Amino acid sequence: MAQNLDMVFSALADPTRRAILSMLLEDDMAVTDVATPFQISLAAISKHLGILAEAGLISREKRGRVIWCKLEPDALRAASVWMGSFGQFEPVDLDAFERFLEDEFNAPTEDADQDPGVSA
């Protein structure tokens, strides 16, 4: 699983590959259509697609003379589960924490007149 996660995150690290995945969210696309919005060669796009396919994020299928790319929706499941494990902690509301500290430090105490070492 760790090696697969490494491949997924490595594939996602590149902005061109993330853009390709976003495009494939809409529908399957031919390789030439994938390449159209980018200012890089078709060979470079093919390399990006190879990395995405190796990571399992897309699949490629030849239909006639055209290679089609398809997003694999379950491919990010392991990465999502792994990242989700870090979401088990509630986010800290720093404003509420600051108000709490102000209340605690500014509140008058009953024992303010007593020696700190003497208990009531």
Side-chain angles (χ1 to χ4, degrees), residues 6-27:
D6 291 347
M7 292 174 67
V8 168
F9 286 121
S10 178
L12 293 174
D14 185 86
T16 300
R17 292 191 285 269
R18 290 192 306 270
I20 290 169
L21 290 175
S22 294
M23 292 167 52
L24 292 174
L25 275 171
E26 300 297 321
D27 201 3

Side-chain angles (χ1 to χ4, degrees), residues 17-100:
R17 292 191 285 269
R18 290 192 306 270
I20 290 169
L21 290 175
S22 294
M23 292 167 52
L24 292 174
L25 275 171
E26 300 297 321
D27 201 3
D28 299 357
M29 297 179 76
V31 170
T32 52
D33 294 333
V34 171
T36 301
F38 299 101
Q39 299 294 323
I40 57 177
S41 69
L42 188 57
I45 289 294
S46 292
K47 286 183 182 182
H48 283 298
L49 292 172
I51 291 168
L52 291 169
E54 190 175 322
L57 296 169
I58 67 166
S59 59
R60 293 180 287 186
E61 175 187 355
K62 190 167 185 176
R63 299 179 200 161
R65 294 179 6 183
V66 178
I67 298 174
W68 287 82
C69 300
K70 176 184 176 185
L71 184 68
E72 291 299 329
D74 292 333
L76 288 173
R77 185 178 315 265
S80 178
V81 168
W82 183 82
M83 288 186 298
S85 66
F86 292 99
Q88 65 185 341
F89 306 104
E90 291 294 323
V92 175
D93 182 350
L94 294 177
D95 292 332
F97 183 61
E98 182 178 8
R99 286 189 300 273
F100 168 77

